[in-house]
Amino acid sequence: QVQLRESGGASVQAGGSLRISCEVSTWTGCMGWFRQAPGKDRETVAILNLVTGGKEYADTMKGRVTASRDGGAGKTRMLYLQMNTLKPDDTAMYYCAARSRYDDTCQRLPSDYDYWGQGTRVIVSS
């Protein structure tokens, strides 16, 4: 069983930066960051292939966000999401998630991920 715990969410001013973290109990090959704004569907922010080191970013935050991890393949215990130039539209609950089955393309949809943390709230005020 994979357990994930996000932290670091906060209220920030528009234009500010924030780094959120995810503590990982058990490493899986494909992990990701997702977010869900009030009244909206959950959406992908970033996907990490922890085997190859590859990363993909969704258009919603591309250029403003960097996903990273500690350790190498098989040793990751923390994921990070650095967010810059935050906008009020970035207000959401942010989640990290893990996919139980590894595939080298690492699926991108929230529905492809099996394990989820409880989320950490980010509020961006104008």
Side-chain angles (χ1 to χ4, degrees), residues 36-76:
Q36 187 165 18
K40 295 188 177 180
D41 293 336
R42 194 166 294 187
E43 62 179 358
T44 303
V45 176
I47 299 297
L48 298 93
N49 185 323
L50 300 187
V51 174
T52 66
K55 303 173 191 176
E56 291 190 55
Y57 298 99
D59 289 342
T60 50
M61 296 191 79
K62 189 178 289 185
R64 300 188 293 122
V65 65
T66 302
S68 61
R69 62 173 182 184
D70 71 338
K75 299 180 180 179
T76 297

Side-chain angles (χ1 to χ4, degrees), residues 38-111:
K40 295 188 177 180
D41 293 336
R42 194 166 294 187
E43 62 179 358
T44 303
V45 176
I47 299 297
L48 298 93
N49 185 323
L50 300 187
V51 174
T52 66
K55 303 173 191 176
E56 291 190 55
Y57 298 99
D59 289 342
T60 50
M61 296 191 79
K62 189 178 289 185
R64 300 188 293 122
V65 65
T66 302
S68 61
R69 62 173 182 184
D70 71 338
K75 299 180 180 179
T76 297
R77 287 298 178 263
M78 293 294 293
L79 300 180
Y80 304 99
L81 188 70
Q82 175 69 43
M83 300 180 289
N84 301 317
T85 320
L86 285 162
K87 306 174 182 179
D89 284 348
D90 296 321
T91 294
M93 189 74 84
Y94 285 73
Y95 300 89
C96 65
R99 179 169 164 82
S100 59
R101 182 170 64 87
Y102 176 74
D103 58 279
D104 58 7
T105 57
C106 280
Q107 300 303 310
R108 297 164 181 80
L109 296 178
S111 57

Side-chain angles (χ1 to χ4, degrees), residues 4 6 20-22 32-37 42-43 45-46 79 81 92-98 115-121:
L4 306 167
E6 302 91 340
I20 58 177
S21 304
C22 175
W33 285 99
F34 303 85
R35 70 181 187 180
Q36 187 165 18
R42 194 166 294 187
E43 62 179 358
V45 176
L79 300 180
L81 188 70
M93 189 74 84
Y94 285 73
Y95 300 89
C96 65
Y115 302 101
W116 292 83
Q118 83 290 346
T120 188
R121 190 175 303 277

